[in-house]
Amino acid sequence: MDSIAVQEMLADSLAADGVIATWNEVVRPVLTAVAARWQLSGAGVEVEHLLNECVLAAFVRATPLVSAGRNHRPVLLACMPEERHNLPLYPLAAELAQRGVVVRQLGAALPMDALAAAVRRTAPSAVVLWAQLPRYADPGVISALPRTRQQVRLFVGGPGWRRGVVAGPAERVEDLAAAVDAVEAAVT
């Protein structure tokens, strides 16, 4: 419950090892351990919430503002409608921004009509849709996205998609590094 110590550790790790290593080697193992403790004992929800807030703040601080990026059209990052677990989108945004890719972070539980409006308004080069839980990995959302004149690459990520069907033309990305590489390749 020491948010200062947690944020200092995260800042040190980000400075020394970068976004992807910090996410994979520091954040994910700790979140997994805290979640396992909660499942076994029912205790520790406050720790998970504090940790989430610290992680979110650290990755927001690690995300540079990119006004003139390598991509002329932005990349949209959003959770599936009703999906509230948006934390993994923050290291994705940070790493892409550090590589000069312009992103628009749309966050958690974005309603379908708002997602469609964002796609129409921005004509993005890529869209990444996150589903933490399988019940939110709805392939109908992919097929319901509006078509734009320019090609939009669609990616889905998160454990929610692991067992589900991924409707074309979307591509599944398995982890943070794969998502960064796929999105970066799609916009350059």
Side-chain angles (χ1 to χ4, degrees), residues 2-23:
D2 186 347
S3 62
I4 301 299
V6 171
Q7 293 209 35
E8 286 174 349
M9 284 187 273
L10 289 169
D12 290 348
S13 181
L14 284 163
D17 302 318
V19 170
I20 293 172
T22 298
W23 177 255

Side-chain angles (χ1 to χ4, degrees), residues 58-71:
F59 284 110
V60 166
R61 280 193 301 274
T63 305
L65 297 175
V66 181
S67 57
R70 299 171 32 203
N71 50 324

Side-chain angles (χ1 to χ4, degrees), residues 11-12 25 38 44-45 70 73 84 87 95 125 154 177 187:
D12 290 348
E25 297 168 20
W38 177 78
V45 171
R70 299 171 32 203
R73 298 179 299 140
R84 298 198 183 284
L87 190 61
E95 183 67 22
S125 54
L154 298 173
V187 302

Side-chain angles (χ1 to χ4, degrees), residues 97-146:
Q98 287 180 8
R99 294 181 185 202
V101 175
V102 175
V103 300
R104 300 287 185 267
Q105 175 79 273
L106 301 176
L110 186 68
M112 182 59 217
D113 59 339
L115 176 60
V119 169
R120 279 192 300 276
R121 290 177 70 187
T122 64
S125 54
V127 175
V128 179
L129 298 173
W130 179 264
Q132 182 74 22
L133 302 175
R135 69 176 172 256
Y136 300 128
D138 179 3
V141 170
I142 295 164
S143 59
L145 288 175

